[in-house]
Amino acid sequence: MSYTPPPRDPKAPPVRVNLLSDTQTRPTPAMREAMARAEVGDEQSGDDPTVHELCGRVAALLGKEAAVFMPSGTMCNVAATLVHCRPGDEILAHETAHIISREGGAHAALGGFQVTQLKGPDGQFTPQTFRAALHPRSRYQPPQTVVSVEQTANIGGGTIWKKTALDEIVQIAKAQGMATHMDGARLLNATVATGIPAAEMTAGWDSAWIDFSKGLGAPIGGALAGSAAFIDEVWRWKQRLGGSMRQAGIVAAACIYALDHHVDRLAEDHANARALARGLSQIQGVEVQEPETNLVFFKPDGAGVSGDKMVGELRKRGVLLAMMDGRIRACTHLDVSAGMIEETVGHVREIVRTA
Ligand SMILES: *Cc1c(COP(=O)(O)O)cnc(C)c1O
């Protein structure tokens, strides 16, 4: 078994619809132009004006004192817990959280932290579940230092945490002396879907970040925000992890472009996701979770086709999507049109019909 994914099969049919992930977007010509025009400097020395502009924009957007530009969302999560916790500390998160299953064990490997997996439907735990998992300070049990939520909850179906639940979790955590961390990889999908500004969603959260390389369509980057003192500590970890960059303004310009041009249009991705779910749910035996944002999870097993078989058959027709934790995930984004959604539904119907 190799850690290196095999190269794309040259005999594979050409890709017609790519629903694998919103990370699959390509920078648009206008975004590339903005990148080419970017003023740059040495980011590591604090001299890149475009990175400064981006960090200022993100701090304001998330209602925090400061922000730092990172190469990835994963590094935002990892650097944040490395600042919040000490070795042996306990992080509480939903059992499907990205920090548990998709960051190579970073929080244990680099920080020596353990993550307690909270349960609950649709990738979310209730404030009551969180409260029940807390224990009094004791010499036996690990210090419970941080609670983490994903807005939106990826494996939960791209579901949106309600503002009331977020506020309640903050209150409980504060009373317990715990820090609060929001993995906002798709936070802006939640704000566009609900109309609730990002800064309201993150109010009371000690750290929060957004990803530019998902639905926003930039090639690289995330930005982590918090208090000035917190971000100062994050910078030390960014340096230690090798995340300090040089003329990063080239990339930051793409992120600024994305904030200016690709946020409101997330509504189109949500409309395409709803259209996909509607089409799929009309096919006998296909079980679909009603999407709240840009992720559509479904199971064709009831139609006599396994998820793996469906993914394989669609691939032969040039439609890419993936199995994720036992269901098929389709992700709409910048490079997916309403016509592609229709085409995808047609293929699924045909595969089920001939099964
Ligand atoms: C993608 C993702 C991340 C990690 O972001 P990268 O930029 O891919 O490193 C973290 N959390 C969630 C919920 C994600 O979907």
Side-chain angles (χ1 to χ4, degrees):
M1 283 293 269
S2 165
Y3 288 122
T4 311
R8 198 176 136 72
D9 178 1
K11 291 196 296 288
V15 176
R16 295 186 48 81
V17 186
N18 188 337
L19 296 165
L20 280 176
S21 173
D22 40 13
T23 58
Q24 301 272 317
T25 54
R26 306 293 162 98
T28 61
M31 179 179 277
R32 286 174 186 261
E33 259 174 51
M35 296 172 79
R37 280 197 310 271
E39 250 190 274
V40 296
D42 185 352
E43 189 252 7
Q44 188 168 135
S45 315
D47 285 336
D48 191 300
T50 309
V51 171
H52 277 303
E53 183 187 340
L54 176 66
C55 291
R57 291 275 304 264
V58 172
L61 182 69
L62 302 186
K64 305 295 175 204
E65 283 176 358
V68 57
F69 189 40
M70 294 289 216
S72 70
T74 298
M75 199 181 281
C76 292
N77 274 337
V78 173
T81 65
L82 285 166
V83 172
H84 286 311
C85 308
R86 295 290 162 270
D89 283 4
E90 183 181 340
I91 299 167
L92 289 88
H94 191 269
E95 61 181 347
T96 59
H98 199 279
I99 61 168
I100 296 173
S101 58
R102 284 167 171 83
E103 297 181 2
H107 304 265
L110 305 177
F113 315 138
Q114 47 185 332
V115 188
T116 292
Q117 307 190 7
L118 301 179
K119 291 186 187 304
D122 303 335
Q124 302 183 15
F125 50 86
T126 61
Q128 293 70 33
T129 299
F130 171 42
R131 196 194 299 275
L134 298 175
H135 54 68
R137 252 182 109 75
S138 114
R139 64 179 56 164
Y140 302 110
Q141 289 168 294
Q144 295 179 306
T145 316
V146 59
V147 59
S148 177
V149 301
E150 270 176 30
Q151 181 71 305
T152 65
N154 180 357
I155 305 303
T159 58
I160 301 168
W161 282 81
K162 291 230 159 44
K163 167 81 176 129
T164 47
L166 293 175
D167 288 349
E168 236 181 293
I169 288 167
V170 165
Q171 272 181 7
I172 296 166
K174 296 286 180 234
Q176 192 80 1
M178 292 174 72
T180 49
H181 174 69
M182 183 183 288
D183 170 340
R186 296 187 181 81
L187 169 62
L188 297 183
N189 289 88
T191 71
V192 167
T194 59
I196 300 173
E200 275 183 42
M201 295 256 193
T202 57
W205 292 78
D206 295 304
S207 48
W209 61 272
I210 55 171
D211 207 324
F212 297 103
S213 72
K214 300 272 165 86
L216 294 186
I220 303 170
L224 173 62
S227 70
F230 171 81
I231 293 302
D232 197 47
E233 288 294 312
V234 168
W235 254 105
R236 195 157 46 102
W237 276 111
K238 175 171 145 106
Q239 179 67 25
R240 281 181 179 160
L241 295 169
S244 296
M245 295 177 275
R246 299 301 185 188
Q247 287 70 36
I250 292 276
V251 190
C255 303
I256 292 172
Y257 181 89
L259 287 177
D260 288 336
H261 299 95
H262 291 173
V263 176
D264 294 341
R265 65 147 307 285
L266 291 171
E268 291 172 37
D269 299 342
H270 301 167
N272 281 335
R274 284 193 300 273
L276 178 61
R278 207 178 311 120
L280 292 173
S281 65
Q282 284 160 5
I283 302 168
Q284 185 87 38
V286 177
E287 196 183 305
V288 192
Q289 181 181 349
E290 183 66 24
E292 296 180 22
T293 51
N294 69 326
L295 305 177
V296 180
F297 282 79
F298 67 101
K299 277 180 93 148
D301 304 63
V305 186
S306 73
D308 284 320
K309 167 103 173 142
M310 177 61 74
V311 167
E313 287 297 318
L314 284 169
R315 191 163 284 259
K316 286 185 205 161
R317 292 160 173 82
V319 178
L320 306 186
L321 22 68
M323 287 297 285
M324 207 167 268
D325 293 17
R327 297 188 292 171
I328 301 175
R329 189 187 81 165
C331 184
T332 58
H333 53 75
L334 196 55
D335 297 345
V336 174
S337 66
M340 292 177 186
I341 295 298
E342 251 179 71
E343 180 177 337
T344 302
V345 172
H347 285 309
V348 173
R349 190 180 294 117
E350 193 55 23
I351 292 163
V352 164
R353 198 182 61 78
T354 54

